[in-house]
């Protein structure tokens, strides 16, 4: 039985193999040793609403695997709640958790010699971490996203988790009452499921449909809905068939399919974190892909979806409007997708999309055709200049004019910057510089949702710039530039910015420039001393030692 090539290695040959004894302890019967052994990487956790609704999906996958005459083997993967850890020291563990999740998947699948794996996850790093692990092991695999949260509501206004962060700025600016502040806080997250806009979790899960590693429609379903459970069961059945066909992740994840995924990210207005994660995914797949490839894709793919944070709607609205398959069909018909790419179902992407309507429904305002695109080019721009010779990432949609030149307001930690913003010490025209927050400097490249949301809440989103060698939440919008490389800790130019220096952010010219002459910059470079590492033991020290720069995906290898 070719499909069981891995698990049979430990059970055949010796009539009374001692390996079997431990399987018998788990309830296996003799005939089970001729069935595929299918791992289920279960990210269920009560840490966060993103993952609190995953157990019933895992249970559905278990039942479907058994019904498909295969053996389910459940193991756990951890998660960090980005929303809960935001603005704390714990946020530095978020990106590190991507690497830990990948290691967990690789360790269990390889250590137990599984024939295939279903990875189930919810919060942001669950998706890239799981995908990296799947690609490293390269056994037949499928990703099951836990599903999105339903939108909250307060006084007739739909809410997401970002509403709470922005409310802090509005409240401190006197633009929101105590009643409304508490109302937003209590009602922003009404159910289980991942954050509802086209933030990082929904960005990555949606892109997996385009990549061919998740079932169509699965990424925009709400976690509490029965269709999400049914989709998990169908995913498990499809995976067992992929095991029998020996259809592996690296047969599916190619340069062309990554282009499909990035095209979908551009069309939906997805998270800046997708740049970091697809650099890491491509590395795991051994596919050549660079930060410049995102700029190449941006120039040819329009933004078609009106989704938060820079638009109006959330993932459940996208689902009702036709979901990711509708967006993919529009891109395919426009010649912006590779329809011949294989998917986990054994069909090509074009075959999977053949029954999807060519045009979006007229009774919705979420998905637009190419001739009515919200923006003619994509939204994730790669900026370079003397402040980021290896590149930086800006989200440029939602702004009237993504250009600013202003004085630098320099901070070496997030909390100081947040306090200055809330105390009205940051004014229109300023460019906030947040540094020593990169992969090594953080370490862990934390997200800056608290200060960016405070800027929005203060009404300064169009007039204050912010640059950082850290990251942004998928919920961030405004005149913000992240992933600045080289980072400050390794002697990147962002380390040499002084208070009041003139800085230019120009998304039209793809420029991030410190307006200081080369001689002065060299003088500052010579005088600079590298700080001591913030962690000297434990997982953060390991990450610090191994992490590559942001333009290489901030991976550990």
């Amino acid at each position: 039985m070719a499909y069981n090539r891995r698990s049979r290695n430990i059970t055949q040959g010796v009539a009374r193999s001692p390996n079997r004894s431990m399987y018998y302890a788990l309830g296996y019967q003799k005939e089970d040793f001729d069935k595929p052994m299918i791992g289920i990487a279960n990210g269920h956790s009560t840490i966060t609403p993103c993952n609190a609704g995953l157990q019933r999906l895992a249970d559905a996958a278990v039942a479907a695997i058994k019904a498909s005459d295969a053996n389910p083997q459940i193991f756990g993967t951890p998660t960090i709640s980005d929303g809960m850890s935001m603005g704390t020291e714990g946020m530095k563990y978020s990106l590190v958790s991507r690497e830990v999740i990948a290691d967990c998947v690789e360790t269990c699948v390889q250590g137990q010699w599984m024939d295939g794996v279903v990875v189930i996850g919810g919060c942001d790093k669950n998706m890239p971490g799981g995908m990296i692990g799947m690609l490293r092991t390269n056994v037949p695999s499928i990703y099951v996203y836990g599903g999105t949260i339903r939108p909250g509501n307060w006084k007739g206004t739909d809410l997401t988790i970002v509403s709470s962060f922005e409310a802090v700025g509005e409240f401190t600016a006197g633009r929101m009452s105590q009643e409304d502040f508490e109302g937003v806080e209590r009602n922003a997250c009404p159910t289980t499921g991942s954050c509802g806009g086209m933030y990082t979790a929904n960005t990555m899960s949606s892109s997996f449909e385009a990549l061919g590693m998740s079932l169509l429609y699965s990424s925009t379903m709400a976690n509490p809905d029965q269709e999400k459970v049914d989709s998990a069961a169908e995913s498990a059945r499809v995976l067992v068939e992929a095991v029998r066909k020996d259809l592996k992740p690296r047969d599916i994840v190619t340069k062309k399919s990554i282009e499909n995924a990035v095209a979908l990210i551009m069309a939906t207005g997805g998270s800046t974190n997708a740049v970091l994660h697809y650099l890491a995914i491509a590395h795991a797949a051994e596919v050549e892909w660079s930060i410049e490839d995102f700029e190449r894709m941006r120039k040819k793919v329009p933004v078609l979806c009106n989704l938060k944070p820079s638009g109006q709607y959330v993932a459940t609205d996208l689902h009702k409007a036709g979901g990711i398959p509708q967006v993919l069909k529009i891109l395919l018909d426009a010649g912006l997708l590779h329809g011949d790419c294989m998917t986990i179902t054994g069909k090509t992407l074009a075959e999977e999309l053949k029954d999807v309507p060519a045009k979006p429904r007229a009774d919705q305002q979420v998905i637009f055709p190419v001739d009515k695109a919200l923006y003619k080019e994509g939204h994730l721009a790669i900026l370079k200049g003397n402040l980021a010779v290896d590149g930086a990432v800006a989200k440029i949609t939602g702004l009237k004019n993504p250009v600013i030149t202003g004085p630098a307001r320099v901070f070496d930690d997030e909390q100081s910057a947040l306090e200055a913003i809330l105390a009205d010490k940051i004014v229109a025209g300023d460019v906030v510089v947040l540094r020593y927050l990169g992969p090594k400097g953080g370490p862990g490249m934390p997200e800056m949702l608290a200060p960016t949301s405070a800027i929005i809440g203060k009404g300064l989103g169009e007039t204050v710039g912010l640059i950082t060698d850290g990251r942004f939440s998928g919920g961030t919008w405004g005149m913000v530039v992240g992933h600045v490389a080289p980072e400050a800790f390794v002697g990147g130019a962002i380390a040499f910015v002084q208070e009041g220096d003139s800085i230019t952010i120009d998304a039209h010219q793809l420029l991030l420039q410190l307006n200081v002459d080369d001689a002065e910059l060299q003088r500052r470079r010579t005088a600079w001393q590298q700080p001591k590492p913030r962690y000297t033991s434990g997982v953060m020290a390991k990450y610090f030692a191994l992490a590559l720069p942001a333009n290489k995906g901030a991976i550990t290898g």
Side-chain angles (χ1 to χ4, degrees):
M1 298 182 183
Y3 64 80
N4 204 25
R5 69 201 185 287
R6 289 164 64 89
S7 58
R8 290 180 76 239
N9 286 340
I10 65 167
T11 58
Q12 65 183 8
V14 181
R16 293 182 177 85
S17 169
N19 300 88
R20 295 192 181 195
S21 297
M22 301 187 80
Y23 284 96
Y24 283 130
L26 294 169
Y28 281 63
Q29 303 300 313
K30 186 176 181 179
E31 57 269 22
D32 287 325
F33 297 112
D34 287 323
K35 299 176 182 178
M37 303 292 190
I38 307 297
I40 299 176
N42 183 7
H44 174 78
S45 169
T46 57
I47 286 174
T48 169
C50 304
N51 290 53
L54 299 189
Q55 187 58 50
R56 65 192 190 119
L57 306 188
D59 293 342
V62 166
I65 289 168
K66 289 180 177 177
S68 299
D69 206 28
N71 297 314
Q73 298 182 324
I74 302 175
F75 61 94
T77 60
T79 194
I80 295 295
S81 172
D82 288 13
M84 291 176 175
S85 65
M86 198 72 67
T88 74
E89 189 72 8
M91 183 66 226
K92 295 179 180 180
Y93 284 82
S94 170
L95 185 60
V96 177
S97 76
R98 182 190 71 180
E99 306 300 298
V100 175
I101 292 165
D103 290 349
C104 286
V105 173
E106 179 186 359
T107 299
C108 288
V109 171
Q110 298 291 62
Q112 296 303 125
W113 214 236
M114 295 170 182
D115 294 302
V117 63
V118 178
V119 181
I120 305 173
C123 199
D124 294 5
K125 307 313 172 293
N126 292 192
M127 272 65 70
M131 187 62 63
I132 291 166
M134 290 153 67
L135 287 162
R136 286 182 191 167
T137 63
N138 201 34
V139 301
S141 309
I142 193 167
Y143 202 94
V144 175
Y145 178 45
T148 187
I149 199 170
R150 294 195 185 114
N153 191 278
W154 176 247
K155 293 184 177 179
T157 299
D158 281 349
L159 305 172
T160 69
I161 183 61
V162 176
S163 305
S164 295
F165 283 90
E166 293 180 357
V168 173
E170 292 187 66
F171 180 67
T172 58
R175 300 167 59 200
M176 178 178 285
S177 69
Q178 181 79 33
E179 177 194 9
D180 288 337
F181 176 70
E182 293 180 358
V184 169
E185 185 178 53
R186 287 195 307 270
N187 293 281
C189 298
T191 67
T192 53
S194 298
C195 299
M198 193 48 69
Y199 310 147
T200 303
N202 285 330
T203 295
M204 296 307 297
S205 61
S206 296
S207 74
F208 287 177
E209 289 190 40
L211 192 65
M213 292 295 290
S214 291
L215 297 188
L216 292 185
Y217 297 101
S218 64
S219 66
T220 51
M221 296 173 178
N223 174 263
D225 292 349
Q226 181 60 38
E227 67 174 349
K228 186 71 252 186
V229 178
D230 296 341
S231 177
E234 178 61 19
S235 297
R237 286 189 287 269
V238 166
L239 188 274
V240 174
E241 285 305 307
V243 171
R244 292 183 168 126
K245 296 172 185 174
D246 197 26
L247 179 57
K248 301 183 292 294
R250 294 194 197 183
D251 300 326
I252 297 168
V253 181
T254 63
K255 185 164 187 175
K256 289 169 67 175
S257 70
I258 290 176
E259 287 187 347
N260 286 348
V262 173
L264 187 280
I265 290 164
M266 295 294 179
T268 55
S271 168
T272 53
N273 284 310
V275 175
L276 203 68
H277 297 327
Y278 267 96
L279 288 166
I281 287 168
H283 180 270
E286 298 184 1
V287 170
E288 288 190 14
W289 189 264
S290 72
I291 195 169
E292 285 77 18
D293 285 309
F294 291 96
E295 183 60 30
R296 173 174 60 84
M297 294 298 296
R298 183 188 73 83
K299 289 178 179 177
K300 68 179 184 178
V301 180
V303 178
L304 302 178
C305 298
N306 183 15
L307 296 167
K308 290 179 181 293
S310 54
Q312 294 177 270
Y313 297 99
V314 295
T316 51
D317 298 315
L318 176 60
H319 192 59
K320 294 173 186 174
I324 295 304
Q326 181 64 84
V327 183
L328 291 174
K329 186 59 174 282
I330 295 169
L331 294 173
L332 180 67
D333 288 352
L336 297 172
L337 286 186
H338 303 288
D340 59 343
C341 286
M342 181 57 61
T343 74
I344 190 61
T345 65
K347 298 179 182 179
T348 66
L349 186 60
E351 289 171 336
E352 286 285 308
L353 295 171
K354 67 181 178 63
D355 295 327
V356 177
K359 296 182 179 180
R361 297 197 324 267
D363 64 344
Q364 54 81 41
Q365 293 294 309
V366 185
I367 306 171
F368 292 85
V370 170
D371 62 354
K372 295 182 180 178
L374 299 175
Y375 301 92
K376 292 182 180 180
E377 294 183 339
H379 64 300
L380 298 179
I382 306 302
L383 276 53
K384 291 190 175 183
N386 67 356
L387 261 179
V389 295
D390 292 332
V393 182
K395 183 187 285 188
I396 61 176
T397 50
L399 294 171
K400 297 183 180 70
N401 181 30
V403 178
I404 186 172
T405 294
R409 305 299 309 281
V410 183
F411 303 91
D412 290 347
D413 65 273
E414 178 186 7
Q415 194 58 40
S416 297
L418 179 60
E419 290 171 0
I421 295 163
L422 295 178
D424 296 322
K425 294 179 180 178
I426 303 300
V427 300
D430 284 347
V431 178
V432 177
V433 178
L434 272 163
R435 64 189 180 189
Y436 294 105
L437 294 165
K440 290 186 178 294
M445 211 178 173
E447 294 179 347
M448 301 291 107
L449 182 58
T452 58
S453 294
I455 288 170
I456 299 297
K458 288 283 188 178
L460 298 170
E462 293 277 357
T463 58
V464 167
L466 188 150
I467 69 171
T468 180
D469 50 8
R471 296 183 295 127
F472 296 118
S473 163
T476 293
W477 71 276
M479 189 131 7
V480 295
V481 183
H483 308 201
V484 171
E487 62 173 294
F489 189 88
V490 301
I494 190 172
F496 315 137
V497 180
Q498 296 180 0
E499 186 79 9
D501 283 348
S502 172
I503 290 177
T504 295
I505 302 170
D506 189 336
H508 296 314
Q509 301 296 321
L510 303 178
L511 180 66
L512 183 61
Q513 189 77 7
L514 174 62
N515 300 312
V516 171
D517 66 54
D518 292 344
E520 172 61 16
L521 201 56
Q522 183 56 45
R523 186 192 67 77
R524 295 179 188 182
R525 180 177 285 109
T526 302
W528 176 79
Q529 291 186 332
Q530 186 178 62
K532 293 180 179 179
R534 297 178 189 269
Y535 290 83
T536 57
S537 63
V539 67
M540 297 301 284
K542 293 176 186 176
Y543 184 82
F544 166 82
L546 296 172
L548 295 182
N551 61 304
K552 301 292 183 183
I555 57 173
T556 55

